[in-house]
Amino acid sequence: MADEQTIAREFKVLNKYGIHARPAALLVKAAGKFACEIYIGRKGSEVSAKSIMGLLTIEGHQGSKLQVRTIGEDAVEAMLEIAELFEKKFFEE
Amino acid sequence: MTEKTAEVPGELVLQGIGVSPGVAVGEVVVFAAEGIPIPERPITEKDVPVEITRFEEALIKTRHQISEIQRRVSAVLGEEHASIFDAHLLVVDDRYFVEEVIRELHEKHRNIEAVVGSVAERYMEMLGKVEDDYLRERTADVRDVTRRVIENLSGETMDRMGQLERPCIAVARDFSPSDTAGMNRNIVHAFVTDIGSVTSHTAIMARALEVPAVVGLHDISTRVTSGETVLVDGTKGMVIIRPTSERLLAYAKKAEDQKMILCELETLKDKPSETKDGYCMPIAANIELPMEVEGIGRFGARGVGLFRTEFLFLDKDHLPDEEEQTTVYSDVADQCAPDPVVIRTLDLGGDKFASTLKTASELNPFLGQRAIRFCLAHPDFFKVQLRALLRAAAGRSISIMYPMISCVTEVIQANGILEECRKELKKEGAPYAEKLRVGAMIEVPSAALTVDLIAPHVDFFSIGTNDLIQYTLAVDRVNENVAYLYKPTHVSILKLIQQVVQTAHDSRIPVAVCGQMAASPEMVPLLIGLGVDELSISPPSVPMIKDVVRSLRYTECARLAEGALQARTPDDILEECCALLAKRAPEILELIG
């Protein structure tokens, strides 16, 4: 019984230097722990949060708003973990 | 800088920027520019599985190499410098990137090297369009990793430096962090690059490894071919392609003589740095990497007179936090104990920019928001460093100094922020230094002329001669059209130094000199004569300068300085300085000649 659920939330990039290599690496590492699909980006240009190359190209500078979607069995847990990263400013300040 | 002279038949003399001293002769190995030629050929559908296997093997090999480099960099330069390779590893592990490559392999039916190259190129193009300087620079990381994958696929050079077996001179357009991380100084005897400056990655690594290096030679990587002989003079910033046998002989003889003199000088290591008639001129070390601390004792310096902290902030993908900085500062001070360490607060701007810091692009950066100006404009950021310094100074002999002070207000403001940090730490109950010696760098004429106003707020002064000369004479010394105007012996400079020393001494405050002038043997008698209290120079220069100090008399230096202050041309003064040096320490002239 595949429990296919989709969760979507919007986050504001709070840390000063945006989604640069280090936060991107944290996102990839966090996303990699979950089975569900995780997408991040804006309307029309989403990338997988499991891809560092993709994440680097989303232009997540400070103050920008990014949509995160998690799809799959562990979507709830994944969203919680991603939310924590955004809220804690990727542990940068 | 470009080449100045050529014309000795057969040999070609190029002038660049010497960023790490020393001379090396050897065969060139030219490292191809980042865009190595990627082999391209069509394949059929039945070749696809073979290509995929090759790709997977190359990825495993690449991952292994990057981990290995990370381990090495971490061992040599510390963990924080190794963290950049975390992102590199994730590129290799990027499933989406890998899948995209495999999809394209099926669609385009081209060999895997070509497909990897084109997919990576697409990402780099996207990154290049990003409206953020920092993110845009990450293209270099993607390029570094994909180059490695492609090299592993074509089975050619992998770890470019690590693969070298015979001693050589490494030449390239520029070297990436993973290049220099893999190098062995017994194999690579010198670095030579087309681009770069004193603060570029190659320069910093070369100095830390004590390997001669010349950068900024424009197109040397296309002018020489592997196997040709070159002579690299990192002291003079000169590279000689196909040197004549006379030239080599002259250098060899000079090297032999210099070696003997240096051996001789080594015996001075534990002797005090004072003139024949007892004028003490302690010599401290200028360092920029924690690993350089080791050289301080070896060369006989006393403590650190200038620890540049910029390297902590350059070439990194994150800003070092308070803990990280506290650890670095504490470690350096512990290794130098009981000798003191003077740590300069962040001196970014001008020609130095941190990739992680947003610095506005300015039309005239040397007159812009650099050093203390930048820190005062970003107090939250400045506080991280000050708190780390206060914590590290608890129970350790650490002083701090502010760079680029142009007005007493800046010192008062900076001290105010320092006091705030102290209160915060007290409230938090963290150990910190109740007393911390604070100094101001004198490198702007306006500060030199108002030392009396600044003196009540500081414990010491340190004259940064490079900037003081540049700002006083309005000369950019790396601009070859005006470099001839850059004269440390210009009377204005000597008058400023004299005024700083006298005024400071009236308030019983010591004055150090930490610029290039302090490391120039012919300038040392002048500095002694002007009454400077301490010199701070790069560790390898210490034996030479100590020898000069020990061979002079204070009285003759004082006479020299007095004469120099009677307005005359810079060249006259320089001539007198050299004459005195030739009389007292001829062996040193041999060394620098």
Side-chain angles (χ1 to χ4, degrees):
Chain A
M1 40 150 248
D3 189 9
E4 280 286 304
Q5 53 175 330
T6 301
I7 304 177
R9 269 188 68 182
E10 196 176 66
F11 296 99
K12 199 167 171 182
V13 179
L14 298 174
N15 61 313
K16 209 161 176 182
Y17 301 107
I19 311 283
H20 61 84
R22 190 179 156 278
L26 286 175
L27 273 170
V28 174
K29 282 179 184 164
K33 291 192 282 185
F34 300 97
C36 62
E37 294 295 330
I38 304 173
Y39 296 102
I40 183 165
R42 300 180 185 78
K43 250 199 186 122
S45 68
E46 272 189 330
V47 298
S48 168
K50 296 181 181 182
S51 165
I52 183 115
M53 301 273 255
L55 281 177
L56 286 177
T57 57
I58 58 171
E59 298 200 43
H61 46 80
Q62 190 186 21
S64 59
K65 285 184 183 153
L66 294 173
Q67 170 102 318
V68 176
R69 292 194 303 138
T70 56
I71 308 155
E73 241 175 275
D74 47 6
V76 180
E77 294 85 348
M79 185 58 86
L80 280 176
E81 184 134 351
I82 303 277
E84 193 187 340
L85 284 177
F86 274 96
E87 277 153 19
K88 298 224 166 122
K89 303 180 180 178
F90 299 92
F91 310 103
E92 297 219 311
E93 279 147 54
Chain B
M1 293 210 157
T2 49
E3 77 239 50
K4 264 193 211 148
T5 44
E7 302 327 322
V8 188
E11 73 171 19
L12 183 61
V13 182
L14 301 176
Q15 182 70 48
I17 308 166
V19 292
S20 182
V23 173
V25 181
E27 278 186 16
V28 166
V29 172
V30 180
F31 292 88
E34 307 287 1
I36 57 156
I38 300 173
E40 244 191 287
R41 60 193 150 79
I43 58 165
T44 61
E45 185 62 29
K46 76 172 182 6
D47 296 328
V48 168
V50 180
E51 294 294 281
I52 292 177
T53 313
R54 287 181 58 219
F55 183 39
E56 280 166 353
E57 281 169 5
L59 286 175
I60 292 170
K61 208 165 176 179
T62 307
R63 185 179 305 122
H64 180 77
Q65 286 165 356
I66 297 175
S67 310
E68 178 63 20
I69 289 176
Q70 188 169 33
R71 197 185 54 73
R72 259 189 313 211
V73 171
S74 174
V76 179
L77 294 177
E79 215 170 300
E80 71 273 18
H81 295 297
S83 63
I84 175 170
F85 295 103
D86 267 339
H88 286 200
L89 280 173
L90 287 172
V91 173
V92 184
D93 286 331
D94 195 324
R95 192 158 55 88
Y96 288 78
F97 172 65
V98 173
E99 279 170 9
E100 200 170 332
V101 169
I102 292 174
R103 198 166 52 239
E104 197 157 319
L105 192 65
H106 283 287
E107 280 168 13
K108 299 241 166 105
H109 284 167
R110 291 190 161 277
N111 62 320
I112 186 75
E113 290 93 331
V115 174
V116 171
S118 81
V119 173
E121 197 53 51
R122 224 163 33 230
Y123 274 103
M124 289 189 273
E125 210 170 288
M126 271 195 283
L127 271 175
K129 281 191 201 130
V130 170
E131 270 182 45
D132 180 298
D133 289 343
Y134 180 75
L135 286 176
R136 210 163 37 231
E137 278 170 27
R138 293 309 96 201
T139 7
D141 292 331
V142 177
R143 185 175 291 123
D144 208 26
V145 176
T146 45
R147 192 199 67 204
R148 208 168 257 289
V149 174
I150 293 171
E151 281 176 358
N152 282 333
L153 279 167
S154 36
E156 280 181 15
T157 55
M158 278 148 273
D159 187 344
R160 305 204 287 178
M161 296 267 178
Q163 290 287 306
L164 295 170
E165 280 169 0
R166 286 199 301 161
C168 68
I169 309 276
V171 179
R173 175 140 185 84
D174 196 10
F175 290 105
S176 70
S178 50
D179 287 330
T180 43
M183 79 146 250
N184 173 344
R185 67 201 247 191
N186 295 319
I187 298 281
V188 178
H189 287 178
F191 288 117
V192 175
T193 63
D194 292 349
I195 57 176
S197 69
V198 182
T199 49
S200 62
H201 178 83
T202 309
I204 292 170
M205 282 301 287
R207 278 196 296 275
L209 294 160
E210 292 171 27
V211 170
V214 179
V215 303
L217 286 150
H218 282 305
D219 55 357
I220 184 139
S221 67
T222 55
R223 276 171 182 259
V224 291
T225 44
S226 294
E228 268 185 319
T229 301
V230 300
L231 187 153
V232 180
D233 185 336
T235 317
K236 292 188 182 154
M238 221 159 66
V239 173
I240 301 163
I241 305 173
R242 297 177 298 272
T244 58
S245 50
E246 292 83 52
R247 173 91 68 178
L248 286 175
L249 207 65
Y251 261 94
K253 188 181 170 306
K254 206 171 114 188
E256 197 56 41
D257 292 349
Q258 290 183 344
K259 212 163 144 193
M260 269 172 55
I261 297 167
L262 283 173
C263 266
E264 200 87 346
L265 293 185
E266 248 171 52
T267 59
L268 297 177
K269 191 166 78 101
D270 301 313
K271 300 229 168 93
S273 177
E274 58 181 36
T275 61
K276 278 186 167 17
D277 47 358
Y279 182 91
C280 284
M281 183 62 112
I283 304 176
N286 292 350
I287 63 166
E288 49 197 324
L289 291 182
M291 66 184 278
E292 288 175 277
V293 170
E294 169 270 332
I296 297 175
R298 185 154 52 87
F299 291 113
R302 222 200 64 185
V304 173
L306 167 62
F307 178 22
R308 305 184 174 99
T309 51
E310 292 75 62
F311 196 71
L312 277 167
F313 298 82
L314 295 166
D315 269 347
K316 309 228 348 205
D317 58 358
H318 70 282
L319 290 170
D321 62 16
E322 187 181 317
E323 292 304 320
E324 210 174 323
Q325 292 190 47
T326 308
T327 310
V328 172
Y329 305 149
S330 309
D331 282 354
V332 169
D334 284 341
Q335 286 182 66
C336 290
D339 291 328
V341 172
V342 179
I343 301 178
R344 179 174 72 185
T345 61
L346 191 61
D347 186 11
L348 281 180
D351 54 350
K352 300 181 282 262
F353 290 101
S355 41
T356 33
L357 281 177
K358 273 251 181 277
T359 36
S361 40
E362 298 174 321
L363 218 50
N364 197 344
F366 278 103
L367 302 184
Q369 196 187 58
R370 53 178 295 214
I372 195 72
R373 301 170 180 181
F374 178 85
C375 289
L376 290 175
H378 301 85
D380 289 345
F381 165 84
F382 192 27
K383 271 176 143 177
V384 176
Q385 185 173 37
L386 291 178
R387 284 174 55 105
L389 287 164
L390 280 166
R391 285 175 54 190
R396 296 189 183 84
S397 186
I398 289 180
S399 318
I400 69 168
M401 62 182 179
Y402 307 128
M404 260 290 277
I405 293 297
S406 61
C407 177
V408 64
T409 319
E410 291 166 324
V411 179
I412 295 170
Q413 279 174 359
N415 278 343
I417 298 175
L418 185 67
E419 198 45 48
E420 264 174 53
C421 294
R422 206 177 254 134
K423 281 195 187 125
E424 283 173 20
L425 287 167
K426 188 172 186 183
K427 220 191 256 164
E428 292 162 26
Y432 66 95
E434 195 54 62
K435 283 217 174 76
L436 179 65
R437 271 167 45 87
V438 171
M441 286 204 65
I442 302 297
E443 37 192 351
V444 180
S446 61
L449 294 169
T450 51
V451 158
D452 53 332
L453 301 177
I454 301 172
H457 306 280
V458 297
D459 302 294
F460 64 96
F461 288 109
S462 189
I463 304 179
T465 50
N466 299 6
D467 275 339
L468 185 64
I469 297 168
Q470 130 155 319
Y471 289 129
T472 306
L473 304 182
V475 170
D476 175 2
R477 69 173 169 157
V478 298
N479 177 342
E480 60 181 311
N481 297 320
V482 294
Y484 73 97
L485 290 169
Y486 187 92
K487 304 268 188 197
T489 47
H490 196 289
V491 182
S492 61
I493 305 299
L494 306 184
K495 282 188 174 165
L496 284 175
I497 295 177
Q498 184 208 28
Q499 165 142 11
V500 171
V501 171
Q502 275 187 357
T503 318
H505 285 179
D506 286 346
S507 311
R508 296 177 183 281
I509 290 180
V511 179
V513 171
C514 66
Q516 183 56 40
M517 215 167 153
S520 312
E522 68 279 13
M523 294 294 110
V524 170
L526 266 184
L527 296 177
I528 294 176
L530 289 168
V532 169
D533 300 288
E534 185 183 285
L535 303 177
S536 190
I537 60 185
S538 73
S541 306
V542 174
M544 178 170 83
I545 297 301
K546 198 190 269 187
D547 182 55
V548 174
V549 172
R550 289 177 57 86
S551 59
L552 292 163
R553 283 177 187 283
Y554 172 72
T555 44
E556 64 192 359
C557 295
R559 267 201 305 278
L560 176 79
E562 209 173 301
L565 284 165
Q566 311 306 314
R568 283 189 312 180
T569 71
D571 292 338
D572 286 347
I573 298 172
L574 182 62
E575 206 172 291
E576 297 233 332
C577 293
C578 289
L580 181 58
L581 190 68
K583 206 156 77 184
R584 296 290 176 246
E587 68 281 6
I588 297 299
L589 278 183
E590 185 75 33
L591 211 51
I592 58 171

